[in-house]
Amino acid sequence: MEDPLAAIRDTFFQECEEQLAELETGLIAMENGTAEAETVNAVFRAVHSMKGGAGIFALDALVRFAHVFETALDKVRSGLLVASPPVVAVFLRAADILADLVRAARDGGSVDEARIAAVTGEFNQIDQAGAAPESASTPPSSPAPEAAGHWEILFTPHPALYAKANEAALLLRELKRLGETQVTLDDSELPELQELDPEGAYLSWRILLNSDCSKEEIADLFEFVEDDCRLSITRHDAGLEGATAPATDESGFAPGTVITGDNGFCFEFFPPSEPQDEAPEEPTPPAVPEAAPPRAAPPPPKPAAPPEPGPANPAVQAMAAKAEAANAVGATIRVDLDRVDRMIDLVGELVINEAMLSQRVLEAGIARSSGVAMALEELEHLTREIQDSVMAIRAQPVRSVFQRMPRLVREVAAMTNKQVKLVTEGEATEVDKTVIERIADPLTHMTSIMGWNPQRRGLPPASRPRARCG
Amino acid sequence: MSMTILTVDDSRAMRDMLRHSLVAAGFRVIQAEDGLHGLEILASESPDVIVTDINMPRMDGFGFIQAVRQDEARRATPVLVLTTEVDIEKKNRAREAGATGWIVKPFDPEKLVDAIRRVAA
């Protein structure tokens, strides 16, 4: 039986290839000045999605680089960075590195650290030089100081924390550097001496910290022990004088609770927000109808009986109807290629058997107007239709071959110091998957050779290789 | 009766991983590819908890949560955001839209299940 995690990993790498193609297409559009706002969003999502998936499989190098890349793209998306030609050039180089990191993660191997460092350095430079005018004078962002109030920190070390030679008292001392503290020891879990495990962990602390520092600054202190403790950081509006026992939500979480644990897991439970009459700014498309009621108040306690499935709110129904229509256009399923090939083989057998049967009927001298002959003719017609339909399953747009070309052309252009514009036409033409697989390498080779030595191939220097299909 | 969880994420790998983790915990899992698809599913399903990504095509997580909260029948349904985002502004935006909690990817399956059980309690 197939390992489900291995299958998910395969899916991740398939998605990466699709996202890399989308990334490159979007960046080329940005380079050509034909990008729309959604193009930038799609480019961002491609990198973001690769980062998220890579995190599942602990592909740390990929996560790190995607994070740097994503941060720069997010600045373009939010107008803090201008996507000038030099900036897009860096993005394209970053896309190449991202592609190499994906393939190294999938196939084994590594990517030259110097290349990664160079492009990371370029990101830092464009962050300074390419900043949008309105943000040029903006000082580097830092965590905003919290309003007046205090932090409540619940800290419960696990045995592993002590086993790794960490000391709870040192962490408490570090917290004190952030502001005035009130520390309460909880020794209620401490067993009798004869039952005490010398390597166990039985103590917890509740620390009230009077500071306007950010939650991140507190969490940073626990960075090296976050996997080995239970940590909760909660902000209270009152000063230390007004500190009380923690109030917990009915779900069991104190509002604002942050729980950290293994693998960098972090969960934050939001306190119910105040009711607001105004709709949130920048409603995300598709916009809800104006007639819709004001935004919901904070969720009330969960009703005893769950809502019955059935007709929902009209606004939701309207959006769902749009979604259904949109989905109907692009509905696809993924099928294992072996299953498709097995079906094609069987249809091939069916065609042969149908031909043999026709021959037998002919040899038997059965009249063409007989019921048997007419039924056979219908069978032949259906068999051909099935064969055409099945063959169409393997047909794919030739676009995927052309998607490999921009990077190649860019590299050759850079190495030969030529200006090259790649034009592709007919990418939607569908051909059998085998053709796509076999045409890719020769086309890549031809493009590369023409780029290096156009005169030898009979092309004048000013000519450009022109990819065309259909 | 097992709880039903609606997961909304545009990544197939992430959806598969969520299904793998949540089904193993005994949940029934319904999956949507983006916010609009999630709303379409909500027209006929009543999940006990919704787990949604933020960055998605067509309708992102913010828009999805807002739309869910506009539906009277869904006001109490816990909605957990599962994202790689750590930006405080985005976290606040999700909170204002009506999210119940914020979980940072990569997720620990056991802790995700624990969080789901606790917000559904």
mmCIF file of all heavy atoms in Angstrom, chain A residues 63-81:
data_model
loop_
_atom_site.group_PDB
_atom_site.id
_atom_site.type_symbol
_atom_site.label_atom_id
_atom_site.label_comp_id
_atom_site.label_asym_id
_atom_site.label_seq_id
_atom_site.Cartn_x
_atom_site.Cartn_y
_atom_site.Cartn_z
ATOM 1 N N VAL A 63 12.173 26.792 2.506
ATOM 2 C CA VAL A 63 11.321 27.678 3.310
ATOM 3 C C VAL A 63 12.011 29.027 3.513
ATOM 4 O O VAL A 63 11.408 30.087 3.336
ATOM 5 C CB VAL A 63 11.000 27.040 4.681
ATOM 6 C CG1 VAL A 63 10.310 28.045 5.599
ATOM 7 C CG2 VAL A 63 10.123 25.810 4.511
ATOM 8 N N ARG A 64 13.304 28.973 3.873
ATOM 9 C CA ARG A 64 14.034 30.221 4.166
ATOM 10 C C ARG A 64 14.079 31.137 2.948
ATOM 11 O O ARG A 64 13.785 32.328 3.032
ATOM 12 C CB ARG A 64 15.461 29.900 4.641
ATOM 13 C CG ARG A 64 15.574 29.565 6.104
ATOM 14 C CD ARG A 64 17.022 29.648 6.562
ATOM 15 N NE ARG A 64 17.894 28.774 5.790
ATOM 16 C CZ ARG A 64 18.122 27.495 6.067
ATOM 17 N NH1 ARG A 64 17.535 26.957 7.105
ATOM 18 N NH2 ARG A 64 18.914 26.765 5.320
ATOM 19 N N PHE A 65 14.441 30.552 1.795
ATOM 20 C CA PHE A 65 14.585 31.398 0.617
ATOM 21 C C PHE A 65 13.216 31.897 0.136
ATOM 22 O O PHE A 65 13.078 33.066 -0.245
ATOM 23 C CB PHE A 65 15.303 30.644 -0.509
ATOM 24 C CG PHE A 65 15.659 31.526 -1.665
ATOM 25 C CD1 PHE A 65 16.721 32.410 -1.574
ATOM 26 C CD2 PHE A 65 14.897 31.525 -2.822
ATOM 27 C CE1 PHE A 65 17.034 33.260 -2.623
ATOM 28 C CE2 PHE A 65 15.197 32.366 -3.876
ATOM 29 C CZ PHE A 65 16.267 33.234 -3.777
ATOM 30 N N ALA A 66 12.225 31.004 0.184
ATOM 31 C CA ALA A 66 10.873 31.418 -0.238
ATOM 32 C C ALA A 66 10.367 32.547 0.652
ATOM 33 O O ALA A 66 9.669 33.449 0.188
ATOM 34 C CB ALA A 66 9.920 30.225 -0.186
ATOM 35 N N HIS A 67 10.734 32.513 1.911
ATOM 36 C CA HIS A 67 10.282 33.559 2.825
ATOM 37 C C HIS A 67 10.865 34.922 2.432
ATOM 38 O O HIS A 67 10.154 35.935 2.407
ATOM 39 C CB HIS A 67 10.673 33.205 4.257
ATOM 40 C CG HIS A 67 10.266 34.246 5.257
ATOM 41 N ND1 HIS A 67 8.939 34.448 5.594
ATOM 42 C CD2 HIS A 67 10.989 35.161 5.953
ATOM 43 C CE1 HIS A 67 8.877 35.448 6.466
ATOM 44 N NE2 HIS A 67 10.095 35.885 6.697
ATOM 45 N N VAL A 68 12.158 34.920 2.109
ATOM 46 C CA VAL A 68 12.803 36.176 1.688
ATOM 47 C C VAL A 68 12.152 36.694 0.408
ATOM 48 O O VAL A 68 11.830 37.884 0.271
ATOM 49 C CB VAL A 68 14.319 35.937 1.464
ATOM 50 C CG1 VAL A 68 14.975 37.174 0.889
ATOM 51 C CG2 VAL A 68 14.992 35.554 2.773
ATOM 52 N N PHE A 69 11.945 35.791 -0.524
ATOM 53 C CA PHE A 69 11.350 36.132 -1.820
ATOM 54 C C PHE A 69 9.924 36.660 -1.616
ATOM 55 O O PHE A 69 9.531 37.711 -2.142
ATOM 56 C CB PHE A 69 11.356 34.863 -2.678
ATOM 57 C CG PHE A 69 11.111 35.075 -4.152
ATOM 58 C CD1 PHE A 69 11.168 33.998 -5.035
ATOM 59 C CD2 PHE A 69 10.821 36.323 -4.687
ATOM 60 C CE1 PHE A 69 10.951 34.162 -6.385
ATOM 61 C CE2 PHE A 69 10.598 36.494 -6.043
ATOM 62 C CZ PHE A 69 10.654 35.413 -6.893
ATOM 63 N N GLU A 70 9.169 35.932 -0.820
ATOM 64 C CA GLU A 70 7.775 36.287 -0.559
ATOM 65 C C GLU A 70 7.656 37.667 0.091
ATOM 66 O O GLU A 70 6.768 38.455 -0.234
ATOM 67 C CB GLU A 70 7.166 35.207 0.342
ATOM 68 C CG GLU A 70 5.848 35.541 0.959
ATOM 69 C CD GLU A 70 5.536 34.593 2.113
ATOM 70 O OE1 GLU A 70 6.050 34.796 3.236
ATOM 71 O OE2 GLU A 70 4.792 33.655 1.882
ATOM 72 N N THR A 71 8.577 37.954 0.986
ATOM 73 C CA THR A 71 8.548 39.243 1.681
ATOM 74 C C THR A 71 8.697 40.388 0.683
ATOM 75 O O THR A 71 7.984 41.399 0.753
ATOM 76 C CB THR A 71 9.667 39.298 2.734
ATOM 77 O OG1 THR A 71 9.501 38.212 3.636
ATOM 78 C CG2 THR A 71 9.633 40.595 3.509
ATOM 79 N N ALA A 72 9.636 40.214 -0.270
ATOM 80 C CA ALA A 72 9.837 41.259 -1.285
ATOM 81 C C ALA A 72 8.607 41.381 -2.175
ATOM 82 O O ALA A 72 8.172 42.493 -2.503
ATOM 83 C CB ALA A 72 11.074 40.933 -2.115
ATOM 84 N N LEU A 73 8.026 40.233 -2.549
ATOM 85 C CA LEU A 73 6.834 40.276 -3.409
ATOM 86 C C LEU A 73 5.652 40.917 -2.684
ATOM 87 O O LEU A 73 4.845 41.629 -3.292
ATOM 88 C CB LEU A 73 6.463 38.853 -3.846
ATOM 89 C CG LEU A 73 7.384 38.219 -4.888
ATOM 90 C CD1 LEU A 73 7.110 36.726 -5.026
ATOM 91 C CD2 LEU A 73 7.223 38.908 -6.237
ATOM 92 N N ASP A 74 5.570 40.678 -1.408
ATOM 93 C CA ASP A 74 4.471 41.258 -0.630
ATOM 94 C C ASP A 74 4.592 42.782 -0.606
ATOM 95 O O ASP A 74 3.591 43.496 -0.598
ATOM 96 C CB ASP A 74 4.487 40.687 0.797
ATOM 97 C CG ASP A 74 3.142 40.872 1.487
ATOM 98 O OD1 ASP A 74 2.119 41.002 0.775
ATOM 99 O OD2 ASP A 74 3.114 40.892 2.738
ATOM 100 N N LYS A 75 5.853 43.254 -0.613
ATOM 101 C CA LYS A 75 6.050 44.710 -0.623
ATOM 102 C C LYS A 75 5.597 45.296 -1.954
ATOM 103 O O LYS A 75 5.038 46.395 -1.995
ATOM 104 C CB LYS A 75 7.518 45.040 -0.368
ATOM 105 C CG LYS A 75 7.895 44.837 1.098
ATOM 106 C CD LYS A 75 9.335 45.173 1.349
ATOM 107 C CE LYS A 75 9.649 44.947 2.830
ATOM 108 N NZ LYS A 75 11.073 45.013 3.111
ATOM 109 N N VAL A 76 5.850 44.570 -3.029
ATOM 110 C CA VAL A 76 5.363 45.036 -4.334
ATOM 111 C C VAL A 76 3.846 45.035 -4.325
ATOM 112 O O VAL A 76 3.190 45.983 -4.777
ATOM 113 C CB VAL A 76 5.886 44.120 -5.463
ATOM 114 C CG1 VAL A 76 5.239 44.490 -6.797
ATOM 115 C CG2 VAL A 76 7.405 44.229 -5.574
ATOM 116 N N ARG A 77 3.287 43.978 -3.784
ATOM 117 C CA ARG A 77 1.832 43.827 -3.743
ATOM 118 C C ARG A 77 1.168 44.959 -2.970
ATOM 119 O O ARG A 77 0.092 45.424 -3.322
ATOM 120 C CB ARG A 77 1.514 42.484 -3.086
ATOM 121 C CG ARG A 77 0.168 41.913 -3.425
ATOM 122 C CD ARG A 77 0.066 40.466 -3.033
ATOM 123 N NE ARG A 77 0.175 40.235 -1.606
ATOM 124 C CZ ARG A 77 -0.578 39.371 -0.935
ATOM 125 N NH1 ARG A 77 -1.468 38.670 -1.560
ATOM 126 N NH2 ARG A 77 -0.409 39.201 0.353
ATOM 127 N N SER A 78 1.828 45.377 -1.907
ATOM 128 C CA SER A 78 1.230 46.415 -1.077
ATOM 129 C C SER A 78 1.722 47.814 -1.439
ATOM 130 O O SER A 78 1.431 48.771 -0.737
ATOM 131 C CB SER A 78 1.508 46.118 0.399
ATOM 132 O OG SER A 78 2.888 45.961 0.607
ATOM 133 N N GLY A 79 2.479 47.928 -2.535
ATOM 134 C CA GLY A 79 2.893 49.239 -3.015
ATOM 135 C C GLY A 79 4.085 49.831 -2.299
ATOM 136 O O GLY A 79 4.427 51.000 -2.493
ATOM 137 N N LEU A 80 4.761 49.046 -1.472
ATOM 138 C CA LEU A 80 5.928 49.555 -0.750
ATOM 139 C C LEU A 80 7.208 49.421 -1.568
ATOM 140 O O LEU A 80 8.229 49.985 -1.216
ATOM 141 C CB LEU A 80 6.095 48.810 0.581
ATOM 142 C CG LEU A 80 4.972 49.019 1.598
ATOM 143 C CD1 LEU A 80 5.164 48.113 2.794
ATOM 144 C CD2 LEU A 80 4.923 50.473 2.047
ATOM 145 N N LEU A 81 7.144 48.650 -2.629
ATOM 146 C CA LEU A 81 8.317 48.448 -3.482
ATOM 147 C C LEU A 81 7.874 48.534 -4.930
ATOM 148 O O LEU A 81 6.856 47.947 -5.310
ATOM 149 C CB LEU A 81 8.931 47.066 -3.192
ATOM 150 C CG LEU A 81 10.189 46.694 -3.963
ATOM 151 C CD1 LEU A 81 11.368 47.578 -3.554
ATOM 152 C CD2 LEU A 81 10.550 45.225 -3.698
#
